[in-house]
Amino acid sequence: MNCDEFIENLKENYTFVKLLSNKNESQAIVLEHKKLGAKIVLHRFKERVAVYDMLKSIDFKNLPTVYDSYNFTNGEIVLEEYIDGITVADVLESGKYTYHGTAKVISEICGTLTVLHANGFVHRDIKPENIMITNNGTVKLIDFNASRIYDKNKSSDTISLGTIGYASPEQLGINQSDARTNIYALGVLLNVMLTGEHPSKRLAKSRAGKIVLKCAQINPNKRFFQQNSLNMIYKFSYFF
């Protein structure tokens, strides 16, 4: 069986709802079970994405549940939880976040990164579009297409991925990305949530601005580096 045949088999029990994304290397669509009414997200990749295979074993409230992954000769299929809600980017379209709202989101993302980093994950694409707020207020970090597993034997990333403005310098192939790569993007995110702009254009005020500058240091060794979740969350939420 290949990817196309697998999807055809799914059509017996699921109906197409909408297309979420359609890129050269990947596609994401929403399907709904014909009898149960439950929705899932189907990711199709041209090549195997190892992080999704590993995410199946992680159960954490701020991460989408990966139900299963299937490897074929012509790609990989991943079945993932459908998250009903809005992204941080959607919220920012109507204005900046409050300090309280920012503290909640950043703190929960810190806790999520603690879990990911403990398992060797480097997300590499933390940005407003990849953080969802569910209808019950839960923060979810999504989209692991650019993620990788840290390899201590490598000196640089094989493929340069990330979003301009949020991607750290090492993601351009200078060094291998690691947990500090996510810290860089988190600092930019914090600034954008509070000011609506990249820190290079407008820096958040007071202690928040100092935290942003520490996170977004060019040299990874000069950034915050998480030792445990409580310490990291404290660093980012104390000024509130």
Side-chain angles (χ1 to χ4, degrees), residues 2 9 84 92 128 187 208-209 237:
N2 58 34
N9 288 341
D84 196 4
L92 288 172
S237 60

Side-chain angles (χ1 to χ4, degrees), residues 134-181:
T134 68
N135 291 336
N136 65 6
T138 302
V139 178
K140 297 269 190 178
L141 179 62
I142 64 170
D143 194 350
F144 288 81
N145 296 8
S147 302
R148 62 185 297 276
I149 305 300
Y150 177 74
D151 185 346
K152 64 179 181 180
N153 297 315
K154 291 186 178 181
S155 59
S156 63
D157 292 354
T158 305
I159 301 175
S160 298
L161 292 172
T163 299
I164 294 175
Y166 292 87
S168 64
E170 59 268 24
Q171 286 177 257
L172 303 178
I174 300 172
N175 296 303
Q176 182 183 189
S177 55
D178 58 22
R180 296 167 296 180
T181 300

Side-chain angles (χ1 to χ4, degrees), residues 39-110:
K39 294 177 182 177
I40 62 171
V41 177
L42 182 149
H43 296 277
R44 178 175 182 173
F45 303 100
K46 289 186 177 180
E47 297 182 357
R48 179 172 176 255
V49 183
V51 292
Y52 279 103
D53 295 336
M54 295 183 67
L55 279 171
K56 289 187 296 184
S57 63
I58 299 178
D59 181 16
F60 190 67
K61 66 182 181 69
N62 300 116
L63 291 172
T65 300
V66 175
Y67 298 122
D68 219 334
S69 60
Y70 306 86
N71 294 301
F72 304 97
T73 55
N74 64 331
E76 181 174 16
I77 296 290
V78 174
L79 301 181
E80 184 182 78
E81 171 191 9
Y82 172 73
I83 300 171
D84 196 4
I86 60 174
T87 67
V88 168
D90 294 330
V91 177
L92 288 172
E93 286 183 1
S94 59
K96 295 175 291 185
Y97 263 82
T98 64
Y99 270 60
H100 178 74
T102 302
K104 172 178 169 51
V105 173
I106 294 296
S107 293
E108 294 203 33
I109 293 300
C110 285

